[in-house]
Structures are given as C-alpha cells and as structure tokens.
Amino acid sequence: MADLDAVLAAADANLDASLERLFELLRIPSISTDSAFDGDCRRAADWLVAELDRLGFDASRRDTQGQPMVLARGGAGSGPHVLFYGHYDVQPPDPLELWQRDPFDPAIVDTPTGKQIVARGASDDKGQLMTFVEAARAYRQVAGELPLPVTILFEGEEESGSKSLGPFLDAHLDELKADVALVCDTGMWDRETPAITTMLRGMLLDEVVVTCANRDLHSGMYGGAAMNPIRVVAKIVADLHDANGRVTVPGFYDGVEEVPADIAAQWGGLSFDAGEFLGEVGLRLPAGEAERSALEQIWSRPTCDANGIVGGYTGEGSKTVIASQASVKMSFRLVGGQDPDAIRDAFRAFVRERVPADCAVAFIAHGGNPALSLPLESPYLDAACTALADEWGKPAVLTGCGGSIPIVGDFKSTLGMDTLLIGFGLDDDRIHSPNEKYEFSSFRHGIRSWVRIIDALARM
Amino acid sequence: MADLDAVLAAADANLDASLERLFELLRIPSISTDSAFDGDCRRAADWLVAELDRLGFDASRRDTQGQPMVLARGGAGSGPHVLFYGHYDVQPPDPLELWQRDPFDPAIVDTPTGKQIVARGASDDKGQLMTFVEAARAYRQVAGELPLPVTILFEGEEESGSKSLGPFLDAHLDELKADVALVCDTGMWDRETPAITTMLRGMLLDEVVVTCANRDLHSGMYGGAAMNPIRVVAKIVADLHDANGRVTVPGFYDGVEEVPADIAAQWGGLSFDAGEFLGEVGLRLPAGEAERSALEQIWSRPTCDANGIVGGYTGEGSKTVIASQASVKMSFRLVGGQDPDAIRDAFRAFVRERVPADCAVAFIAHGGNPALSLPLESPYLDAACTALADEWGKPAVLTGCGGSIPIVGDFKSTLGMDTLLIGFGLDDDRIHSPNEKYEFSSFRHGIRSWVRIIDALARM
C-alpha cells in the first residue's frame, strides 16, 4: 500500500496538467441525443481510451447500436474489485444565445466564491469522471499500481435514455462483474459538505405526436370546424396534474413509498431553505404536491414534466394556420417501486382517451428506468463516508437525488452489485443549462477524495 | 363605352402573356411576417408599380412603418369611382418539405379537373389581384381607357395583421375616397358557381409568452418543485374551450348575432356536406360549438385557435429540461358586433388568472379587426351579381367567409364605403398550406368577370 499523503501530494502537484486534460475532453461536443454529433461522441470515447491506455489501463472502445462505450481494466491486489462509471456525453447547449462564451471552449472563471470551470459538461459529467481518472494517475505515480482491481466503464448515452446500456451489460457480464460500483455523477450537500446519494429517482421518457388534419389549414377557412392538434396536446398536458399538483395518470402512484424515518429525520435536520433553492432560479412557490415539502418533491416524490412542446407556426410574427401536427416530449421521475413499463402503458392510455376519434396519435419511447435506493448497512458505504469526512473535515450527508442515473439500476439488476453515488457537483452548477460550471475546489478535492476512497476500500 | 365582346376577346388573346406576368410576381417571396423578406416585399411592390405604370396608371410605391403600399390612379368617365384592393404579401411557405416543388417557382400543373397554377400566393392573393390588372389591360387595349375612375390599392401586410393599413388610410383619405370598393381575396361557392361574400369574420391576433424560472433547469434537480411554463401555457390553451367547443373567455360572445333569416335560408339550400368538407383534409368531426352546423362554425360563429406553440427542447431525441419559457400564438375569428379590443382585454385577464404568482407573462399584439357584413340592398351588388351570372352562367351565391379581410372594415369606418368581395378561389386551393394552387379557369374567368363588372358598373 502506498503512503496516502504522498499520493495526495502527487494529485495536487499534477493539478494544472489534470485541468488541461479535462479541457481537452470538454472541447469535444459529444452531444449524444443529436445524431449530427455522433462523430464527436466517438472522438470523446477515443480520447478517453488513449488517456486510460497511457495510464496503464487495458482500455478499448466498444461500439454499440448507439454511442460507443469505453471499457478499461487495471489495478492489482485482492480487492474489493470496484467498477467505476461515468458518462462522456453531454446535453445540447441550446439556447446558445444565453451562453456567455462558447460552451465547448472551456475556461477558468474567477468568482467571489472561488475559481470555476465553465463549459458544457464541466460538471455533468466530464469534470466528475476525470476526478477518478486523475486520482488513479496520482496513485499509480506513487505506488506504481492501483491497490485494488479497477474496471472503468464510460457511457455515451446517459443524456439520451441509455438505450444501449442494458444490452451492453448483458453481453459483457464477466468483464463488468465487480464487488461494488462507484459512480461520480451526483452532487455535494453544499460547497463544504460531501454527500453520498442513497436514493435515486427513476425516469420514464415518452413523446406524443398528435395529427389532426392531413395538412396545415387556413384558420379562416377551417377555424371552428377543424380540430386543432395544439388544443389536443394542451388538454393532455393540462390534464396531467390536478389542482394540488398531483399527477392524474391512473395508477401513477402505485409503488410510491414514504421515506424511511431515520432518513426523514436527517433531512429534517438539514438547513434546506425551499425559498432559497427556488429563489436562486427566480421562483418562489413549490409547484409539486401541495402537502409535500420541496425537499420531498425533488428527492422522494415522482414527477411529470413536459420537456418540450411544438406545433404550428413558431417563427416571427403571426400565421393564421391550424397545424396538422403538434407534439410534446414528456418525462416522469419515478421513485420507490414505480414500474416504468406500467406507467408508460397507463400514460399512453390516458393520452388516447383525450385524442378525438378522427385524429391520430403516435408515441416515441425514449427509454426509462426504475428508481433505486442503497442499503444503509453496506460496509463500502462506511468506508467511503470515513474517507470523505477525512478529506472535507465534515461527515458526509446521505441524500436523495432528483435526477436519475440509469446505470445504477442496471448494476443492481444485471450485475447484482450495489453502487456508491459519490459526486462533487453543486446545485448551482447549471447542468443542462447555459453557462454550466464545475467548482475548481470540486475538481481538486474530488480527485483527493477518490484517492482516499480507493485507499480505504483497499484496506478493508 | 367599348364593345364588351371585343374586350373579352382581348382578355382571352392576352392569356399566355397574362400568365407569364403572374409568374413573375409569384417568383418574388414577399413574406410579410418575417423581416428577413422585407427586401422581397419591396421588390413585389416595385414590380406592381412598374406594371401599373406600363398600363397607363399613375402608380407609385408608398413606404410605411411596415411593408410598402402600392397606390395607382386611372380610368375616366363620371363613375361610379371604384377602389380596387388586393395584397401582394404571402404566408410563409413552411413546412417546406411538404411542397412538391419550390413554392416560389410557379408552374402549370395538369389535373383531371383542369390546369392549376401552383405556387405560394397563386390563390392568396397574387393570382386574384392580377385578374383585375389583366381585365384593366384588356379594357384599355380595346377602349383606350377604363370607362370609370379606378383607384388601385395593393397592401403588403395582409398576412401579418395589416398594422400600417389604418394609419395609411387616415393619411390618404382624399386619394382613396371612392363610391365603392372591390376586393378580390375570397372564393367561389364551387368551381362552377360564382359567389359574393357578404359576411366576413373579423380577427384578433395575440401572443402569450410565459416565463417561470430565470433559466432552463435540470428536470431531475428541480422537477417537482419548479413550475414548468409548458404546463402553464397548456392549461391556458386547454381552458379556452369547454366540453361543447364553446370559447370560455368571459364576455367572448357579447355582440355575436344570429344569421339573418333569408341568408340562413339560402345557406340551408346549399349543397354543403360537412363530412365532405372535413373529409377532404382527413377529418370527420366538426370541432366547434356542438349545437352549430359546420357551415355556421366557419361562416358565422367566432373561434379561438392556437396557431403556434413552442417551449423547451424540440430537437431530435429527448432532453430532461424544464424550460424557462413557453409561448403560444393565438388567433380569434370574430363575428357580428364582437369588439376586438374588449376581447383582447378579456383574453389577457383570462391568461393572467392562470399564471402562477411567481411566474411572468408578456403579450405581443399582432393586430385585430372587427367582423363585417355588406348591406344586401346595395345597387353595386345587383350590378356585380348580373355580371357574374353572365360570365359563369349561374347566379352568384351570397356567402359568409371564415377568413378576415381587415381592409373591408377600414373602408367602411374610415372611408364610409361599402365593399364588394368578389373572388375566384376554391376551398381546395390550399392557401396558407403547402402546394397552394389557383385554378387556371379561376384566372381566366376571373379576368373576364372583372371586364364584365367594370362594364356593368360604368353603365349604372
């Protein structure tokens, strides 16, 4: 085993070079949801393969029906064997005009609260996955090798439904089997307090396309007599919530459980200010279920959101047209035992009931995955909590996460493995939004945190 | 006075050249609602000025805050003095991919029912306005001059709210004053039966922009707690109609009158098949007020339609985002005594009631005008009916029109003048839609119809 302080010192000494490597990765616009960027996703995967190879990993790009996977194997010792996961794909940067700089030209920006790395993917997830890569580099510099067997899996479709993930895991069980998974795609409680996420909301993505007339119509000639698909889609979206913010799809809440008492108690003790949380984005009133706290609404309650809607003329000025077609992209955040397939069926039935008999509806499935929780008695959880407390000088908070990380459910169901969700993002990182950033301190202490966690797990 | 048959013969002899002139005008993409095409609107106006000038009119382009007007004066004799109106601007051609050819590369297409002129604006309104220009040409060829004083006004903002029209009329009362207005922007009853439109629906255009969070949000991090503007806009649109298809804006139906008994009787006698009318565009069920016939729904009842809606991510695939903003473009067709200003106020109050206290709403007015009806005892109406019957061999039907022609209301209120709405479009002309067409027979008999009407009015 290496001298921990020597490894931490090496990590700090590497920091400038580590940052430059992260910038190289951030410059690649690996937007997985838009096929126009398939070449860039492949470039990002190849860049990671080359990087891991230089680090002494046995790394390779694995092509799929969608974006390629990056798979690497390294480390020595008896274990535990860890599988580290991150994703190299990013969200589309639009609306571009709201960025203060080119989203794919990363920069360090000085702010009153410290230095920030600004770029699409800086926090979600390129900056986070590189904290582990750089930790591994530091460890090998000092010890020559990682103290435990490590498999690395980088995905390129996390932002677009992870369609290839399940099939890939099924096809590579032996290569991916490990004792515990480490995923770096979540956040801290605040800039000083580390967190391990033990509850993850699941996700269901579905798109609805309603067609009424077989062509666009003049609203003067047909207005009043011809059904308008925008009216149909609007009614569907409007009907999805009742006056109390509850989702109205029949059976939607089947399998939703209350938060365990001890976790609820810890949450109650957290200094979470809903007004501040919403105020930071210019809002004031929690929009979810009336009788639930904002923290419950984002961590432990399911949701239904329209992520995009379009129909008719959306250019400058006006056009007196009745469109032939209108569509809406929906996403549902799932919790507890909610079944994505059952909810997809119930949602589609709910939609069909609201489409007039002479109009047509089509659906486009964009993937889905159930919610997940980590058993609190896991020994790996103990080791990681201690390591994080040593690095940050504060105990790690066990939190829920509103977002969904499909891989975690698949690790459990396909590989029978629990996952430690340890990340260093902050709520104000603007992931999925213009001017996404990652705190420089998250990057530095993230690298050091992984050094300590690797060391702690190896000593188990 | 000229020999009518000689003028009609001249009109027929000119037909090929008349068509080529129309094609020149159709090649100019004069889309008034999109400022990117301002130069093309000006080109269309200049082309008309030059054309009318060649015809012996005293013609000029008159610039406005928006698109320019074309004003021309010609003809001799004691009158009546007629003011002819048409518009040279066209609707945007999108969705472009549904056109079978370039919308601004006009062509003659042979069909089982006869030759058609296919291009954006072929029917609305370039083909129609040119029927009058070519009629004037034929008359002058034979008689040397038109038999009555004629003022021509071509507008360039009819498809985008006619914002400059009112101010222009107020500023040029003396130049525009006449005994009766002739407007060629409406349709025939069917391909054999001419029609004069005596009831016109008015129009109100308003756009709603709802802003919730001050930036796009990650639906995982904020979903459930942050209000989604798409949900707000959808609720507004969904609430605008009740289960019976009635518009729910308070006071919306104030001033709506029932159709006069004699007109209702004529309509009852028309062979209007709602199933056929809707079937032609792939629909079956009239979507308007349940207790009204489809003909009433499109001719004599007010409507409320969303012409365009957009918010969030509308690209390929999915994006788990909660948008900061969503918007909808609304149009209301007005009848009888409905007051556009009062309805705009009522609509905006209706919208504000549905916007959460921590979200913002902005409105963009895109113009409006009241509905209009022509007095059935007008002597000009008699003369025109006779002329049309002579050309088509069938009496002209007096119809309503679902569309709105702003100028007609302004002629009445500003110039105290009634308008004869005589047009040769057909219901299946696909105006405002891909593959817009104008029947060659509408063009030819339209020209001949105007020759007869000019002659009949001059003999009054």
Side-chain angles (χ1 to χ4, degrees):
Chain A
M1 299 286 302
D3 166 26
L4 181 55
D5 292 331
V7 179
L8 293 170
D12 285 339
N14 291 343
L15 213 46
D16 289 350
S18 302
L19 199 57
E20 185 34 51
R21 282 184 287 266
L22 170 58
F23 276 25
E24 284 182 24
L25 181 57
L26 290 170
R27 289 189 187 105
I28 305 173
S30 44
I31 301 164
S32 59
T33 199
D34 185 341
S35 53
F37 295 88
D38 286 354
D40 296 298
C41 289
R42 207 160 39 247
R43 272 206 299 142
D46 290 338
W47 186 92
L48 286 163
V49 167
E51 204 47 53
L52 292 168
D53 204 59
R54 260 194 294 283
L55 258 174
F57 282 86
D58 172 12
S60 59
R61 188 186 88 202
R62 307 295 182 92
D63 291 336
T64 69
Q65 294 291 324
Q67 308 300 352
M69 305 280 177
V70 171
L71 197 52
R73 180 64 192 274
S78 59
H81 181 170
V82 302
L83 172 65
F84 180 84
Y85 164 92
H87 65 90
Y88 64 78
D89 63 318
V90 298
Q91 285 275 326
D94 43 299
L96 266 174
E97 63 276 14
L98 297 186
W99 282 80
Q100 273 144 29
R101 54 180 294 113
D102 178 344
F104 298 106
D105 177 17
I108 290 286
V109 175
D110 283 304
T111 78
T113 56
K115 285 193 285 185
Q116 298 178 347
I117 303 160
V118 178
R120 166 59 83 229
S123 175
D124 181 16
D125 184 46
K126 289 171 174 175
Q128 301 239 60
L129 73 83
M130 286 302 285
T131 57
F132 187 86
V133 172
E134 295 301 324
R137 182 187 312 274
Y139 214 104
R140 292 188 73 266
Q141 276 177 347
V142 174
E145 185 51 279
L146 288 165
L148 73 185
V150 175
T151 304
I152 291 179
L153 173 65
F154 292 142
E155 182 198 356
E157 295 180 288
E158 198 275 341
E159 301 294 4
S160 53
S162 294
K163 291 206 189 63
S164 311
L165 198 55
F168 186 81
L169 295 189
D170 293 334
H172 302 80
L173 290 178
D174 298 345
E175 287 180 279
L176 293 166
K177 204 108 191 58
D179 297 308
V180 64
L182 306 174
V183 170
C184 191
D185 197 18
T186 51
M188 318 227 311
W189 169 249
D190 59 32
R191 63 183 58 243
E192 288 85 28
T193 317
I196 299 180
T197 303
T198 59
M199 296 177 62
L200 266 184
R201 289 198 293 194
M203 162 97 96
L204 170 63
L205 294 163
D206 214 27
E207 183 166 349
V208 178
V209 182
V210 172
T211 306
C212 294
N214 56 20
R215 56 182 171 85
D216 287 359
L217 305 175
H218 185 312
S219 77
M221 190 170 297
Y222 290 91
M227 179 48 76
N228 186 328
I230 296 174
R231 182 172 146 197
V232 177
V233 167
K235 174 102 174 91
I236 291 164
V237 173
D239 284 356
L240 281 166
H241 293 86
D242 67 15
N244 294 319
R246 272 180 73 86
V247 177
T248 56
V249 175
F252 181 73
Y253 289 93
D254 295 353
V256 176
E257 298 139 9
E258 292 300 321
V259 179
D262 52 347
I263 296 286
Q266 194 191 30
W267 290 2
L270 294 173
S271 61
F272 180 81
D273 179 334
E276 198 177 287
F277 173 72
L278 289 172
E280 194 264 321
V281 297
L283 293 171
R284 198 170 76 247
L285 311 171
E289 298 163 273
E291 71 280 5
R292 300 288 178 168
S293 75
L295 203 57
E296 284 179 288
Q297 288 178 7
I298 58 173
W299 279 0
S300 66
R301 300 299 297 177
T303 72
C304 163
D305 265 302
N307 303 119
I309 190 168
V310 67
Y313 179 70
T314 60
E316 187 185 345
S318 63
K319 182 179 178 185
T320 53
V321 65
I322 296 177
S324 165
Q325 209 168 69
S327 64
V328 62
K329 296 176 193 281
M330 299 297 308
S331 65
F332 300 85
R333 299 283 172 177
L334 309 180
V335 304
Q338 282 181 300
D339 173 0
D341 298 330
I343 289 175
R344 189 189 299 277
D345 293 344
F347 168 66
R348 291 183 173 187
F350 178 96
V351 167
R352 288 193 186 92
E353 278 172 17
R354 286 160 175 80
V355 176
D358 59 343
C359 302
V361 61
F363 297 93
I364 304 169
H366 293 300
N369 56 280
L372 195 96
S373 12
L374 174 73
L376 302 176
E377 57 280 8
S378 156
Y380 306 116
L381 182 57
D382 285 343
C385 282
T386 310
L388 286 170
D390 291 346
E391 175 62 25
W392 296 87
K394 289 177 113 184
V397 177
L398 301 188
T399 68
C401 173
S404 68
I405 302 172
I407 190 78
V408 179
D410 294 319
F411 284 164
K412 186 71 180 179
S413 57
T414 310
L415 303 175
M417 186 169 43
D418 285 325
T419 298
L420 292 180
L421 291 159
I422 301 170
F424 309 97
L426 295 182
D427 286 349
D428 66 359
D429 278 354
R430 296 184 291 270
I431 67 174
H432 294 210
S433 296
N435 306 305
E436 176 178 353
K437 61 88 178 170
Y438 195 47
E439 298 286 323
F440 182 76
S441 79
S442 292
F443 189 59
R444 179 185 170 222
H445 291 290
I447 295 169
R448 292 171 52 94
S449 295
W450 285 122
V451 168
R452 292 182 187 274
I453 292 166
I454 289 167
D455 192 75
L457 291 174
R459 293 177 195 278
M460 279 178 65
Chain B
M1 299 284 302
D3 167 25
L4 181 56
D5 293 331
V7 180
L8 292 171
D12 284 340
N14 291 343
L15 213 45
D16 289 349
S18 302
L19 200 57
E20 185 37 49
R21 282 184 287 267
L22 171 58
F23 277 25
E24 284 181 25
L25 181 57
L26 290 171
R27 290 188 188 105
I28 305 173
S30 44
I31 301 164
S32 59
T33 199
D34 184 341
S35 53
F37 295 88
D38 286 354
D40 296 298
C41 289
R42 206 159 41 247
R43 271 207 299 143
D46 289 338
W47 185 91
L48 285 162
V49 168
E51 204 47 52
L52 292 168
D53 204 62
R54 261 193 293 283
L55 257 174
F57 282 87
D58 172 12
S60 58
R61 188 186 89 202
R62 307 294 182 92
D63 292 335
T64 70
Q65 294 291 325
Q67 309 299 352
M69 304 279 177
V70 171
L71 197 53
R73 181 61 193 274
S78 59
H81 181 170
V82 302
L83 172 64
F84 179 84
Y85 164 92
H87 66 88
Y88 65 78
D89 64 318
V90 299
Q91 284 275 325
D94 43 298
L96 267 174
E97 64 276 15
L98 297 187
W99 281 81
Q100 274 146 26
R101 53 180 295 112
D102 178 345
F104 298 106
D105 177 18
I108 290 286
V109 175
D110 282 304
T111 78
T113 56
K115 286 194 286 186
Q116 299 178 344
I117 303 161
V118 178
R120 166 59 83 228
S123 175
D124 181 15
D125 182 49
K126 290 171 175 175
Q128 300 240 61
L129 72 84
M130 286 301 285
T131 57
F132 187 86
V133 172
E134 295 301 324
R137 183 189 312 274
Y139 214 103
R140 292 188 73 265
Q141 275 177 348
V142 173
E145 185 51 280
L146 288 166
L148 73 185
V150 175
T151 302
I152 291 179
L153 173 64
F154 292 142
E155 182 197 356
E157 294 179 288
E158 199 275 341
E159 302 292 3
S160 53
S162 294
K163 292 204 189 65
S164 311
L165 197 56
F168 186 81
L169 295 189
D170 293 334
H172 303 81
L173 290 177
D174 298 346
E175 287 180 279
L176 294 166
K177 205 109 191 60
D179 297 308
V180 64
L182 305 175
V183 170
C184 191
D185 197 18
T186 51
M188 319 228 310
W189 168 249
D190 58 33
R191 64 183 58 245
E192 289 85 29
T193 317
I196 299 180
T197 303
T198 60
M199 295 177 63
L200 266 183
R201 288 198 292 194
M203 163 95 95
L204 171 63
L205 295 164
D206 214 27
E207 183 167 350
V208 178
V209 182
V210 172
T211 305
C212 294
N214 55 20
R215 55 181 171 87
D216 287 358
L217 305 175
H218 184 310
S219 76
M221 190 170 297
Y222 289 91
M227 179 48 76
N228 186 327
I230 296 174
R231 181 172 147 197
V232 176
V233 168
K235 174 102 174 94
I236 290 164
V237 174
D239 284 356
L240 281 166
H241 292 86
D242 67 16
N244 294 320
R246 271 181 75 85
V247 177
T248 56
V249 175
F252 181 73
Y253 289 94
D254 295 354
V256 176
E257 299 139 9
E258 292 299 320
V259 179
D262 52 346
I263 297 286
Q266 195 191 29
W267 291 1
L270 294 173
S271 60
F272 180 81
D273 180 335
E276 199 177 288
F277 172 73
L278 289 172
E280 195 265 320
V281 298
L283 292 172
R284 198 169 76 247
L285 312 170
E289 297 163 273
E291 71 280 6
R292 300 288 179 167
S293 75
L295 202 58
E296 284 179 287
Q297 288 179 6
I298 58 173
W299 279 1
S300 65
R301 301 297 297 177
T303 72
C304 163
D305 265 303
N307 302 119
I309 189 167
V310 67
Y313 180 69
T314 60
E316 188 186 344
S318 62
K319 183 179 178 185
T320 52
V321 65
I322 296 176
S324 166
Q325 209 168 69
S327 64
V328 62
K329 296 175 192 279
M330 299 298 308
S331 65
F332 301 85
R333 299 284 172 176
L334 309 181
V335 303
Q338 282 182 299
D339 173 359
D341 299 330
I343 290 174
R344 190 188 299 277
D345 294 344
F347 168 67
R348 292 184 172 186
F350 178 95
V351 168
R352 288 193 186 92
E353 280 171 15
R354 287 160 176 79
V355 176
D358 59 344
C359 302
V361 60
F363 298 92
I364 304 168
H366 293 300
N369 56 277
L372 195 98
S373 7
L374 173 73
L376 302 176
E377 58 279 7
S378 157
Y380 306 117
L381 181 57
D382 286 342
C385 283
T386 310
L388 286 169
D390 291 345
E391 175 61 26
W392 296 86
K394 289 177 113 181
V397 176
L398 301 188
T399 68
C401 173
S404 69
I405 302 170
I407 189 78
V408 180
D410 295 319
F411 285 164
K412 186 70 180 181
S413 57
T414 310
L415 302 175
M417 184 169 46
D418 285 324
T419 297
L420 293 180
L421 291 158
I422 301 171
F424 309 98
L426 294 182
D427 285 350
D428 66 359
D429 279 354
R430 296 184 292 271
I431 67 174
H432 294 209
S433 296
N435 306 305
E436 175 177 353
K437 61 86 177 171
Y438 194 47
E439 297 287 322
F440 182 76
S441 80
S442 292
F443 188 59
R444 177 182 173 227
H445 291 289
I447 295 168
R448 291 170 53 92
S449 295
W450 285 122
V451 167
R452 292 182 187 274
I453 292 166
I454 289 167
D455 191 75
L457 291 175
R459 292 177 195 279
M460 279 178 65

